[in-house]
Every structure is written in C-alpha cells, then in structure tokens.
Amino acid sequence: MGREITLFSSKEAKSRGEIATFLRGLADRLDAAEVILRKGQDEIVLSLPDRMMLELKVEDEEKRHKGIQHSLEVEMKWYDGDAPTGPVELG
C-alpha cells in the first residue's frame, strides 16, 4: 500500500443550508476545472481533469456516548493522465 499524505484538511460545523451553498460553489469551480481551498494561511490549488472517479458512501457508526453517527461521504479521485469511466445519477 502507498503512503498517504494529507495536503489540506478541514472540519467544521455548518448548517445544512451553509453546506448546500458551499457545495454549489464547489460545483461551479469543478465546472471551471480549478478548485482553490483556503483556511487561514493554508491554501491549495487543484487543477482538475475532465474525468474523475466519483465515490459515494453512506455509513452508520455507533458511537459509545452519543449514539449512531450517520455520514454521507462524497469523494473525487483521479490519477495523473488517467480517465476512469462509470455513470452515476442523482435520484
């Protein structure tokens, strides 16, 4: 297995509406093929290829003191020079 290096990380509580606004902005930047993420002095610029792998995952995890934690993960992956295929639809 390869070594994973975290280049940027963020975790913060937001309202559902704030998250929706952020995701709409992210979608616009995906269309433009460049995403810039900033948090304080940290910044990363991503130049995105035309084709990427989209991974969706829904999980339930039981937390000892808080009950069940639900999560919806949206992850986009790509390799330099790679063009993976595979349809996905929103329902």
Side-chain angles (χ1 to χ4, degrees):
M1 242 181 158
R3 192 176 100 202
E4 184 173 284
I5 300 169
T6 300
L7 302 176
F8 187 91
S9 181
S10 177
K11 183 178 181 179
E12 58 188 286
K14 291 184 175 277
S15 70
R16 187 177 62 241
E18 289 170 324
I19 293 170
T21 298
F22 179 85
L23 291 174
R24 283 186 200 98
L26 178 59
D28 290 343
R29 286 159 181 82
L30 284 169
D31 275 340
E34 183 177 87
V35 173
I36 301 170
L37 298 172
R38 289 187 193 101
K39 183 177 181 185
Q41 296 297 326
D42 294 334
E43 177 179 287
I44 188 164
V45 178
L46 303 172
S47 296
L48 303 173
D50 289 336
R51 309 261 321 153
M52 295 182 283
M53 181 67 67
L54 176 62
E55 184 177 315
L56 302 172
K57 188 185 294 186
V58 178
E59 296 178 328
D60 284 345
E61 181 180 350
E62 190 167 342
K63 297 293 188 174
R64 187 177 297 188
H65 299 290
K66 292 190 174 188
I68 297 175
Q69 176 183 327
H70 310 282
S71 67
L72 165 60
E73 299 175 15
V74 179
E75 188 171 4
M76 291 161 270
K77 299 178 181 183
W78 63 94
Y79 293 98
D80 294 336
D82 195 17
T85 61
V88 66
E89 298 176 14
L90 289 173

